[in-house]
Amino acid sequence: MFRSNKKPAAYDREKQIPVVRASICTGEREAGFKDKQSGKFTGEKLIRNPADLKSFLRAYGVKESELRREW
């Protein structure tokens, strides 16, 4: 019922970096992409548990070693 039918946005490996942003205060994490030129972050998925992170990695073909973490 609440499943998202949203298709993954296009990920351009030449122009974007996969990033997980985390809040120091709340611990909330969001996975998305950061533009190399402008530094603009585009959030794609809220990470609540390890399964959410795996789902993000699989959907965009990103390896966990490629992820950058930002606070």
Side-chain angles (χ1 to χ4, degrees), residues 4-67:
S4 173
N5 292 332
K6 181 179 153 185
K7 291 187 178 184
Y11 162 50
D12 185 359
R13 293 181 184 273
E14 298 295 320
K15 296 180 182 177
Q16 297 175 315
I17 302 167
V19 176
V20 172
R21 291 178 76 178
S23 169
I24 294 173
C25 298
T26 63
E28 182 178 83
R29 296 183 300 160
E30 183 177 18
F33 301 100
K34 187 173 185 179
D35 189 277
K36 289 181 181 179
Q37 294 288 337
S38 67
K40 180 181 175 189
F41 177 78
T42 305
E44 294 294 329
K45 186 164 183 80
L46 187 61
I47 306 298
R48 293 185 210 114
N49 54 44
D52 288 339
L53 181 60
K54 287 181 182 181
S55 167
F56 172 78
L57 296 173
R58 194 173 352 151
Y60 293 98
V62 176
K63 296 177 185 171
E64 194 163 355
S65 61
E66 294 177 305
L67 281 177

